[in-house]
Coordinates of all heavy atoms in Angstrom, one line a residue:
A1022 N 0.8 -1.2 0.0 CA 0.0 0.0 0.0 C 0.9 1.2 0.0 O 2.0 1.2 0.5 CB -0.9 0.0 1.2
M1023 N 0.3 2.3 -0.6 CA 1.0 3.6 -0.6 C 1.0 4.2 0.8 O 0.1 4.0 1.6 CB 0.3 4.6 -1.5 CG 0.2 4.1 -3.0 SD 1.7 4.3 -3.9 CE 2.1 6.0 -3.7
G1024 N 2.0 5.0 1.1 CA 2.0 5.7 2.4 C 1.0 6.8 2.4 O 0.5 7.2 1.4
A1025 N 0.8 7.3 3.6 CA -0.2 8.5 3.7 C 0.3 9.6 2.8 O 1.4 10.0 2.7 CB -0.2 8.9 5.1
G1026 N -0.7 10.1 2.1 CA -0.4 11.3 1.2 C 0.4 10.9 0.0 O 1.0 11.7 -0.6
G1027 N 0.3 9.6 -0.4 CA 1.1 9.1 -1.5 C 0.6 9.8 -2.8 O -0.3 10.5 -2.8
N1028 N 1.4 9.6 -3.9 CA 1.1 10.3 -5.1 C -0.3 10.1 -5.7 O -0.7 9.0 -5.9 CB 2.2 9.8 -6.1 CG 2.0 10.5 -7.4 OD1 1.3 10.1 -8.3 ND2 2.8 11.6 -7.6
G1029 N -1.0 11.2 -5.8 CA -2.4 11.1 -6.2 C -2.6 10.5 -7.6 O -3.6 9.7 -7.7
Q1030 N -1.7 10.7 -8.5 CA -1.9 10.2 -9.8 C -1.7 8.7 -9.8 O -2.4 7.9 -10.5 CB -0.9 10.8 -10.8 CG -1.0 10.3 -12.2 CD -0.3 11.1 -13.3 OE1 0.5 11.9 -12.9 NE2 -0.7 10.9 -14.5
T1031 N -0.8 8.2 -9.0 CA -0.5 6.7 -8.9 C -1.8 6.0 -8.3 O -2.2 5.0 -8.8 CB 0.7 6.5 -8.0 OG1 1.8 7.1 -8.6 CG2 1.0 5.0 -7.9
I1032 N -2.3 6.6 -7.3 CA -3.5 6.1 -6.6 C -4.7 6.1 -7.6 O -5.4 5.1 -7.7 CB -3.8 6.8 -5.3 CG1 -2.7 6.6 -4.3 CG2 -5.1 6.3 -4.7 CD1 -2.4 7.7 -3.4
Y1033 N -4.8 7.3 -8.2 CA -5.9 7.4 -9.3 C -5.8 6.2 -10.3 O -6.8 5.5 -10.6 CB -5.8 8.7 -10.0 CG -6.7 8.8 -11.2 CD1 -8.1 8.9 -11.1 CD2 -6.1 8.6 -12.5 CE1 -8.9 8.9 -12.2 CE2 -6.9 8.5 -13.6 CZ -8.3 8.7 -13.5 OH -9.1 8.6 -14.6
S1034 N -4.6 6.0 -10.8 CA -4.4 5.0 -11.8 C -4.7 3.6 -11.4 O -5.3 2.8 -12.1 CB -2.9 5.0 -12.4 OG -2.6 6.3 -12.9
S1035 N -4.3 3.3 -10.1 CA -4.5 1.9 -9.6 C -5.9 1.6 -9.1 O -6.4 0.5 -9.2 CB -3.4 1.6 -8.5 OG -3.5 2.5 -7.5
T1036 N -6.6 2.7 -8.6 CA -7.8 2.4 -7.9 C -9.0 3.1 -8.5 O -10.2 2.6 -8.4 CB -7.7 2.8 -6.4 OG1 -6.6 2.2 -5.9 CG2 -9.0 2.4 -5.6
C1037 N -8.8 4.2 -9.2 CA -10.0 5.0 -9.6 C -10.2 5.0 -11.1 O -11.3 5.1 -11.6 CB -9.8 6.5 -9.2 SG -9.2 6.7 -7.5
A1038 N -9.1 4.9 -11.9 CA -9.2 4.9 -13.4 C -10.1 3.9 -13.9 O -10.7 4.1 -15.0 CB -7.8 4.8 -14.0
L1039 N -10.1 2.7 -13.3 CA -11.0 1.6 -13.7 C -12.4 2.1 -14.1 O -12.9 1.7 -15.1 CB -11.1 0.7 -12.5 CG -12.1 -0.5 -12.5 CD1 -11.7 -1.5 -13.5 CD2 -12.3 -1.1 -11.1
C1040 N -13.0 3.0 -13.3 CA -14.3 3.6 -13.6 C -14.1 5.0 -14.2 O -14.8 5.3 -15.2 CB -15.1 3.7 -12.4 SG -15.6 2.1 -11.7
H1041 N -13.3 5.8 -13.6 CA -13.3 7.2 -14.0 C -12.6 7.5 -15.4 O -13.0 8.5 -16.0 CB -12.6 8.1 -12.9 CG -13.5 8.3 -11.7 ND1 -14.3 9.4 -11.6 CD2 -13.8 7.5 -10.6 CE1 -15.0 9.3 -10.5 NE2 -14.7 8.2 -9.9
A1042 N -11.6 6.7 -15.8 CA -11.0 7.0 -17.1 C -11.9 6.9 -18.3 O -11.9 7.7 -19.2 CB -9.8 6.1 -17.3
A1043 N -12.8 5.9 -18.2 CA -13.7 5.7 -19.4 C -15.1 6.3 -19.0 O -16.0 6.2 -19.9 CB -13.8 4.2 -19.7
G1044 N -15.3 6.7 -17.8 CA -16.6 7.2 -17.4 C -17.7 6.1 -17.3 O -18.9 6.3 -17.5
V1045 N -17.2 4.9 -16.9 CA -18.1 3.8 -16.7 C -19.2 4.1 -15.7 O -18.9 4.7 -14.6 CB -17.3 2.6 -16.2 CG1 -18.2 1.4 -15.8 CG2 -16.3 2.1 -17.3
T1046 N -20.4 3.8 -16.0 CA -21.6 3.9 -15.1 C -21.7 5.4 -14.6 O -22.1 5.6 -13.4 CB -21.6 2.9 -13.9 OG1 -20.5 3.2 -13.0 CG2 -21.5 1.5 -14.4
G1047 N -21.3 6.4 -15.4 CA -21.5 7.7 -15.0 C -20.4 8.4 -14.2 O -20.5 9.5 -13.7
A1048 N -19.3 7.7 -14.0 CA -18.2 8.3 -13.2 C -17.6 9.4 -14.0 O -17.3 9.3 -15.2 CB -17.1 7.2 -12.9
P1049 N -17.4 10.6 -13.3 CA -16.9 11.8 -14.0 C -15.4 11.6 -14.4 O -14.6 11.3 -13.6 CB -17.1 12.9 -13.0 CG -17.1 12.2 -11.7 CD -17.7 10.9 -11.9
K1050 N -15.1 11.9 -15.7 CA -13.8 11.7 -16.2 C -12.9 12.9 -15.8 O -13.4 14.1 -16.0 CB -13.7 11.6 -17.7 CG -14.4 10.4 -18.3 CD -14.1 10.4 -19.8 CE -15.2 9.7 -20.6 NZ -14.9 9.6 -22.0
P1051 N -11.7 12.7 -15.3 CA -10.8 13.8 -15.1 C -10.6 14.6 -16.4 O -10.4 14.0 -17.4 CB -9.5 13.2 -14.6 CG -9.9 11.9 -14.0 CD -11.1 11.4 -14.9
G1052 N -10.7 15.9 -16.3 CA -10.6 16.7 -17.5 C -11.9 17.1 -18.1 O -12.0 18.1 -18.9
D1053 N -13.0 16.5 -17.7 CA -14.3 16.8 -18.2 C -14.9 18.0 -17.3 O -15.5 17.7 -16.3 CB -15.3 15.6 -18.1 CG -16.6 15.9 -18.7 OD1 -17.1 17.0 -18.8 OD2 -17.3 14.9 -19.1
K1054 N -14.6 19.2 -17.8 CA -14.9 20.4 -17.0 C -16.4 20.5 -16.8 O -16.9 21.0 -15.7 CB -14.3 21.6 -17.6 CG -12.8 21.6 -17.6 CD -12.1 22.8 -18.1 CE -10.6 22.6 -18.2 NZ -9.9 23.8 -18.7
A1055 N -17.2 20.2 -17.8 CA -18.6 20.3 -17.6 C -19.2 19.4 -16.5 O -20.1 19.8 -15.8 CB -19.3 20.0 -19.0
D1056 N -18.7 18.2 -16.4 CA -19.1 17.3 -15.4 C -18.6 17.7 -14.0 O -19.2 17.6 -13.0 CB -18.7 15.9 -15.8 CG -19.5 14.8 -15.0 OD1 -20.1 15.1 -14.0 OD2 -19.6 13.7 -15.5
W1057 N -17.3 18.1 -14.0 CA -16.6 18.4 -12.7 C -17.0 19.7 -12.2 O -16.9 19.9 -10.9 CB -15.1 18.2 -12.9 CG -14.6 16.8 -12.7 CD1 -14.3 16.0 -13.8 CD2 -14.5 16.1 -11.5 NE1 -14.0 14.8 -13.3 CE2 -14.1 14.8 -11.9 CE3 -14.6 16.4 -10.2 CZ2 -13.8 13.8 -11.0 CZ3 -14.4 15.4 -9.2 CH2 -14.0 14.1 -9.6
G1058 N -17.3 20.7 -13.0 CA -17.6 22.1 -12.5 C -18.5 22.1 -11.3 O -18.2 22.6 -10.2
P1059 N -19.8 21.6 -11.4 CA -20.7 21.6 -10.3 C -20.2 20.7 -9.1 O -20.6 21.0 -8.0 CB -22.0 21.0 -10.9 CG -21.8 21.0 -12.4 CD -20.3 21.0 -12.7
R1060 N -19.4 19.7 -9.4 CA -18.9 18.9 -8.3 C -17.9 19.6 -7.5 O -17.9 19.7 -6.3 CB -18.3 17.6 -8.9 CG -19.3 16.7 -9.7 CD -18.6 15.5 -10.3 NE -19.5 14.7 -11.2 CZ -20.4 13.9 -10.8 NH1 -20.6 13.6 -9.5 NH2 -21.2 13.2 -11.7
I1061 N -17.0 20.3 -8.2 CA -15.9 21.1 -7.6 C -16.6 22.2 -6.8 O -16.1 22.5 -5.7 CB -14.9 21.6 -8.6 CG1 -14.1 20.5 -9.2 CG2 -14.0 22.7 -8.0 CD1 -13.3 20.9 -10.4
A1062 N -17.7 22.8 -7.3 CA -18.4 23.9 -6.6 C -19.0 23.4 -5.3 O -19.2 24.3 -4.4 CB -19.5 24.4 -7.5
Q1063 N -19.1 22.1 -5.0 CA -19.6 21.7 -3.7 C -18.6 21.9 -2.6 O -18.9 21.9 -1.4 CB -19.9 20.1 -3.8 CG -20.9 19.7 -4.8 CD -20.9 18.1 -4.8 OE1 -21.9 17.6 -4.3 NE2 -19.9 17.5 -5.3
G1064 N -17.3 22.0 -3.0 CA -16.2 22.1 -2.1 C -15.5 20.8 -1.9 O -16.1 19.8 -2.0
K1065 N -14.2 20.9 -1.6 CA -13.4 19.8 -1.4 C -13.8 18.8 -0.3 O -13.8 17.6 -0.4 CB -11.9 20.2 -1.0 CG -11.0 20.5 -2.3 CD -10.3 19.2 -2.7 CE -9.5 19.4 -4.0 NZ -8.2 20.0 -3.7
D1066 N -14.4 19.4 0.8 CA -14.8 18.6 1.9 C -15.9 17.6 1.5 O -15.8 16.4 1.9 CB -15.3 19.4 3.1 CG -14.1 20.1 3.9 OD1 -12.9 19.7 3.6 OD2 -14.4 21.0 4.7
T1067 N -16.8 18.1 0.7 CA -17.9 17.2 0.2 C -17.3 16.1 -0.8 O -17.7 15.0 -0.7 CB -19.0 18.0 -0.5 OG1 -19.5 18.9 0.5 CG2 -20.1 17.2 -1.1
L1068 N -16.4 16.5 -1.6 CA -15.8 15.6 -2.6 C -15.0 14.5 -1.8 O -15.1 13.3 -2.1 CB -14.9 16.3 -3.5 CG -15.5 17.2 -4.5 CD1 -14.5 17.9 -5.4 CD2 -16.6 16.5 -5.4
Y1069 N -14.3 14.9 -0.8 CA -13.5 13.9 0.0 C -14.5 13.0 0.7 O -14.3 11.8 0.7 CB -12.7 14.7 1.1 CG -11.5 15.4 0.7 CD1 -11.0 16.5 1.4 CD2 -10.8 15.1 -0.5 CE1 -9.9 17.2 1.1 CE2 -9.7 15.8 -0.9 CZ -9.3 16.9 -0.1 OH -8.1 17.6 -0.5
K1070 N -15.6 13.5 1.3 CA -16.6 12.7 2.0 C -17.2 11.7 1.1 O -17.3 10.5 1.4 CB -17.6 13.6 2.7 CG -18.5 12.9 3.7 CD -19.4 13.9 4.4 CE -20.6 14.4 3.5 NZ -21.5 15.3 4.1
H1071 N -17.6 12.2 -0.1 CA -18.2 11.2 -1.1 C -17.2 10.2 -1.5 O -17.6 9.0 -1.7 CB -18.7 12.0 -2.3 CG -20.0 12.8 -2.0 ND1 -20.4 13.8 -2.8 CD2 -20.8 12.7 -0.9 CE1 -21.5 14.3 -2.3 NE2 -21.8 13.7 -1.1
A1072 N -15.9 10.5 -1.7 CA -14.9 9.5 -2.2 C -14.6 8.5 -1.0 O -14.4 7.3 -1.3 CB -13.7 10.2 -2.6
L1073 N -14.6 9.0 0.2 CA -14.3 8.1 1.3 C -15.4 7.2 1.7 O -15.2 6.0 2.0 CB -13.8 9.0 2.6 CG -12.5 9.7 2.4 CD1 -12.4 10.8 3.5 CD2 -11.3 8.8 2.5
A1074 N -16.6 7.8 1.9 CA -17.8 7.1 2.4 C -18.6 6.5 1.3 O -19.5 5.6 1.6 CB -18.6 8.0 3.3
G1075 N -18.4 6.9 0.0 CA -19.2 6.5 -1.0 C -20.4 7.4 -1.2 O -20.7 8.1 -0.2
F1076 N -21.1 7.3 -2.3 CA -22.2 8.2 -2.5 C -23.0 7.8 -3.7 O -22.5 7.3 -4.7 CB -21.7 9.7 -2.6 CG -22.0 10.5 -3.7 CD1 -23.1 11.4 -3.7 CD2 -21.2 10.6 -4.9 CE1 -23.4 12.2 -4.7 CE2 -21.5 11.4 -5.9 CZ -22.6 12.3 -5.9
Q1077 N -24.4 7.9 -3.6 CA -25.3 7.6 -4.7 C -25.7 8.9 -5.3 O -26.3 9.7 -4.6 CB -26.5 6.8 -4.2 CG -27.6 6.6 -5.2 CD -27.1 5.6 -6.3 OE1 -26.8 4.5 -6.1 NE2 -27.1 6.1 -7.6
G1078 N -25.2 9.2 -6.5 CA -25.6 10.4 -7.2 C -26.6 10.2 -8.2 O -27.2 9.1 -8.3
K1079 N -26.9 11.2 -9.1 CA -27.9 11.1 -10.2 C -27.4 10.2 -11.3 O -28.1 9.6 -12.0 CB -28.2 12.5 -10.7 CG -28.9 13.3 -9.8 CD -29.5 14.6 -10.5 CE -30.2 15.5 -9.5 NZ -29.4 16.8 -9.2
K1080 N -26.0 10.1 -11.4 CA -25.5 9.3 -12.6 C -25.1 7.9 -12.2 O -25.0 7.0 -13.1 CB -24.2 10.0 -13.1 CG -24.6 11.4 -13.7 CD -23.3 12.1 -14.2 CE -22.8 11.4 -15.5 NZ -21.5 12.0 -15.9
G1081 N -24.9 7.6 -10.9 CA -24.5 6.3 -10.6 C -24.0 6.2 -9.1 O -24.2 7.1 -8.3
M1082 N -23.3 5.1 -8.8 CA -22.9 4.8 -7.5 C -21.4 4.9 -7.4 O -20.6 4.2 -8.1 CB -23.3 3.4 -7.1 CG -22.8 2.8 -5.9 SD -23.4 3.7 -4.4 CE -22.2 3.0 -3.2
M1083 N -20.9 5.8 -6.5 CA -19.5 5.9 -6.2 C -19.2 5.0 -4.9 O -19.8 5.3 -3.9 CB -19.1 7.4 -5.9 CG -17.8 7.6 -5.2 SD -16.4 7.2 -6.3 CE -15.1 6.8 -5.0
P1084 N -18.5 3.9 -5.1 CA -18.3 3.0 -3.9 C -17.3 3.6 -2.9 O -16.4 4.4 -3.3 CB -17.7 1.7 -4.5 CG -17.1 2.1 -5.9 CD -17.8 3.4 -6.3
P1085 N -17.5 3.3 -1.6 CA -16.5 3.8 -0.6 C -15.1 3.5 -1.0 O -14.8 2.3 -1.3 CB -16.9 3.1 0.7 CG -18.3 2.7 0.5 CD -18.5 2.5 -1.0
K1086 N -14.2 4.5 -1.1 CA -12.8 4.4 -1.4 C -12.6 3.7 -2.7 O -11.6 3.0 -2.9 CB -12.0 3.7 -0.3 CG -12.0 4.5 1.0 CD -11.1 4.0 2.0 CE -10.9 4.9 3.2 NZ -10.0 4.5 4.2
G1087 N -13.6 3.8 -3.6 CA -13.5 3.1 -4.9 C -13.5 1.6 -4.8 O -13.1 0.9 -5.8
G1088 N -13.9 1.1 -3.7 CA -14.0 -0.4 -3.5 C -12.7 -0.9 -2.8 O -12.7 -2.0 -2.4
N1089 N -11.7 -0.1 -2.7 CA -10.4 -0.5 -2.0 C -10.4 0.1 -0.6 O -9.7 1.0 -0.3 CB -9.2 0.0 -2.9 CG -7.9 -0.5 -2.3 OD1 -7.8 -1.2 -1.3 ND2 -6.8 -0.1 -3.0
T1090 N -11.2 -0.6 0.3 CA -11.4 0.0 1.6 C -10.1 0.0 2.5 O -10.1 0.6 3.5 CB -12.5 -0.8 2.3 OG1 -12.3 -2.2 2.2 CG2 -13.9 -0.5 1.7
S1091 N -9.1 -0.7 2.1 CA -7.8 -0.7 2.8 C -7.0 0.5 2.5 O -6.0 0.8 3.2 CB -7.0 -2.0 2.6 OG -6.6 -2.0 1.2
L1092 N -7.4 1.3 1.6 CA -6.6 2.5 1.2 C -6.7 3.5 2.4 O -7.8 3.8 2.9 CB -7.2 3.2 0.0 CG -6.6 3.1 -1.4 CD1 -7.3 4.1 -2.3 CD2 -5.2 3.3 -1.4
P1093 N -5.6 4.1 2.8 CA -5.6 5.2 3.8 C -6.4 6.4 3.3 O -6.4 6.7 2.1 CB -4.1 5.6 4.0 CG -3.3 4.4 3.5 CD -4.2 3.8 2.4
D1094 N -7.1 7.1 4.2 CA -7.9 8.2 3.8 C -7.0 9.3 3.1 O -7.5 9.8 2.1 CB -8.5 8.9 5.1 CG -9.6 8.1 5.7 OD1 -9.9 7.0 5.3 OD2 -10.2 8.7 6.7
A1095 N -5.8 9.5 3.5 CA -4.9 10.5 2.9 C -4.7 10.1 1.4 O -4.5 11.0 0.6 CB -3.6 10.6 3.6
D1096 N -4.6 8.8 1.1 CA -4.4 8.4 -0.3 C -5.7 8.7 -1.2 O -5.5 9.1 -2.3 CB -4.1 6.9 -0.4 CG -2.7 6.6 0.1 OD1 -2.0 7.6 0.6 OD2 -2.2 5.5 -0.1
V1097 N -6.8 8.4 -0.6 CA -8.1 8.7 -1.3 C -8.1 10.2 -1.6 O -8.5 10.7 -2.7 CB -9.3 8.2 -0.5 CG1 -10.6 8.6 -1.2 CG2 -9.2 6.7 -0.4
K1098 N -7.8 11.0 -0.6 CA -7.9 12.5 -0.7 C -6.9 13.0 -1.8 O -7.2 13.9 -2.6 CB -7.6 13.2 0.6 CG -8.7 13.0 1.6 CD -8.4 13.7 2.9 CE -9.5 13.5 3.9 NZ -9.2 14.2 5.2
A1099 N -5.7 12.3 -1.8 CA -4.7 12.7 -2.8 C -5.2 12.4 -4.2 O -4.9 13.2 -5.2 CB -3.4 12.0 -2.6
A1100 N -5.9 11.3 -4.4 CA -6.5 10.9 -5.7 C -7.6 11.9 -6.1 O -7.6 12.3 -7.3 CB -7.0 9.5 -5.7
V1101 N -8.4 12.4 -5.1 CA -9.4 13.4 -5.4 C -8.7 14.7 -5.8 O -9.1 15.3 -6.8 CB -10.3 13.6 -4.2 CG1 -11.2 14.8 -4.4 CG2 -11.1 12.4 -3.8
D1102 N -7.7 15.1 -5.1 CA -6.9 16.3 -5.5 C -6.4 16.2 -6.9 O -6.5 17.2 -7.7 CB -5.7 16.5 -4.5 CG -6.1 16.9 -3.1 OD1 -7.3 17.3 -2.9 OD2 -5.3 16.8 -2.2
F1103 N -5.9 15.1 -7.3 CA -5.4 14.9 -8.7 C -6.5 15.0 -9.7 O -6.4 15.8 -10.7 CB -4.7 13.5 -8.8 CG -4.4 13.1 -10.2 CD1 -3.4 13.7 -10.9 CD2 -5.3 12.2 -10.9 CE1 -3.1 13.4 -12.2 CE2 -5.0 11.9 -12.3 CZ -3.9 12.5 -12.9
M1104 N -7.6 14.4 -9.4 CA -8.8 14.5 -10.3 C -9.3 15.9 -10.5 O -9.6 16.4 -11.6 CB -9.9 13.5 -9.9 CG -9.5 12.1 -9.9 SD -10.5 11.0 -8.9 CE -11.8 10.6 -10.1
V1105 N -9.4 16.6 -9.4 CA -9.8 18.0 -9.4 C -8.8 18.9 -10.1 O -9.2 19.7 -11.0 CB -10.1 18.5 -8.0 CG1 -10.3 20.0 -7.9 CG2 -11.3 17.8 -7.3
D1106 N -7.6 18.7 -9.9 CA -6.5 19.5 -10.6 C -6.6 19.3 -12.1 O -6.3 20.2 -12.9 CB -5.1 19.1 -10.1 CG -4.9 19.7 -8.7 OD1 -5.7 20.6 -8.2 OD2 -3.9 19.3 -8.1
Q1107 N -7.0 18.1 -12.5 CA -7.1 17.8 -14.0 C -8.3 18.5 -14.6 O -8.4 18.5 -15.8 CB -7.2 16.3 -14.2 CG -6.0 15.4 -13.7 CD -4.8 15.7 -14.6 OE1 -4.8 15.5 -15.8 NE2 -3.7 16.2 -14.0
S1108 N -9.2 18.9 -13.8 CA -10.6 19.2 -14.3 C -10.9 20.7 -14.1 O -12.1 21.0 -14.3 CB -11.6 18.3 -13.5 OG -11.2 17.0 -13.6
K1109 N -10.0 21.5 -13.6 CA -10.3 22.9 -13.4 C -10.2 23.7 -14.7 O -9.4 23.4 -15.6 CB -9.3 23.5 -12.4 CG -9.6 23.2 -11.0 CD -8.5 23.8 -10.1 CE -8.9 23.5 -8.6 NZ -7.7 23.7 -7.8
Ligands
HEB2205 FE1 -15.5 7.7 -8.1 C1 -17.9 10.2 -8.4 C2 -13.4 10.0 -6.5 C3 -13.1 5.3 -7.7 C4 -17.6 5.4 -9.7 N1 -15.7 9.7 -7.6 C5 -16.7 10.5 -7.8 C6 -16.4 11.8 -7.3 C7 -15.2 11.8 -6.7 C8 -14.7 10.5 -6.9 C9 -14.4 12.9 -6.0 C10 -17.4 13.1 -7.3 C11 -18.3 13.1 -6.1 C12 -19.3 14.2 -6.1 O1 -19.7 14.7 -7.2 O2 -19.6 14.7 -5.0 N2 -13.6 7.7 -7.3 C13 -13.0 8.7 -6.7 C14 -11.7 8.3 -6.3 C15 -11.6 6.9 -6.6 C16 -12.8 6.6 -7.3 C17 -10.6 9.1 -5.6 C18 -10.4 6.0 -6.3 C19 -10.2 5.8 -4.8 N3 -15.4 5.7 -8.6 C20 -14.3 4.9 -8.4 C21 -14.6 3.6 -8.9 C22 -15.9 3.6 -9.4 C23 -16.4 5.0 -9.3 C24 -13.6 2.4 -8.8 C25 -16.7 2.5 -10.0 C26 -16.8 1.3 -9.5 N4 -17.4 7.8 -8.9 C27 -18.1 6.7 -9.5 C28 -19.4 7.2 -10.0 C29 -19.5 8.6 -9.7 C30 -18.2 8.9 -9.0 C31 -20.4 6.4 -10.8 C32 -20.6 9.6 -10.0 C33 -21.8 9.4 -9.1 C34 -22.9 10.4 -9.5 O3 -24.0 10.0 -9.8 O4 -22.6 11.6 -9.5

């Protein structure tokens, strides 16, 4: 496992890209500003909470920690930061 605060892009690639790279079942693609704009507007705390605890949205189901529940919280947050940075 990655250490706390590990590289967001690495975590994204190993745990999140599975759904988010292709937009499977409605997962917002990094770089898709139209999809990410309103999500980013919710604030980072909400994005972190949804990524950590999971969330049922209008487009689909975000599983807690992307299904990798052994991931440290800091790693999930780093992956969120990466996705947001790609999408501003
Ligand atoms: Fe996800 C969404 C993150 C994995 C599916 N996501 C999401 C979001 C975020 C995330 C931040 C937004 C939220 C809001 O809007 O509030 N993810 C993430 C991360 C990861 C992930 C960081 C890694 C850890 N996902 C994932 C997976 C899947 C998913 C693996 C599949 C299975 N997501 C998803 C979806 C969505 C999301 C479907 C959308 C929902 C709605 O409806 O909106």
Side-chain angles (χ1 to χ4, degrees):
M1023 300 285 302
N1028 184 271
Q1030 182 164 14
T1031 303
I1032 295 148
Y1033 167 77
S1034 299
S1035 57
T1036 308
C1037 318
L1039 169 73
C1040 292
H1041 283 267
V1045 172
T1046 68
K1050 294 188 206 182
D1053 183 338
K1054 295 182 186 182
D1056 198 340
W1057 277 99
R1060 298 179 189 278
I1061 291 169
Q1063 301 174 109
K1065 271 271 176 84
D1066 286 348
T1067 298
L1068 294 178
Y1069 289 155
K1070 194 173 75 181
H1071 286 164
L1073 291 167
F1076 128 91
Q1077 174 67 60
K1079 291 190 183 112
K1080 295 181 72 185
M1082 168 68 192
M1083 166 68 204
K1086 296 189 170 182
N1089 185 359
T1090 50
S1091 64
L1092 261 189
D1094 288 6
D1096 285 7
V1097 175
K1098 290 180 180 180
V1101 173
D1102 288 345
F1103 169 75
M1104 294 164 85
V1105 167
D1106 286 346
Q1107 296 292 301
S1108 311
K1109 279 178 180 164

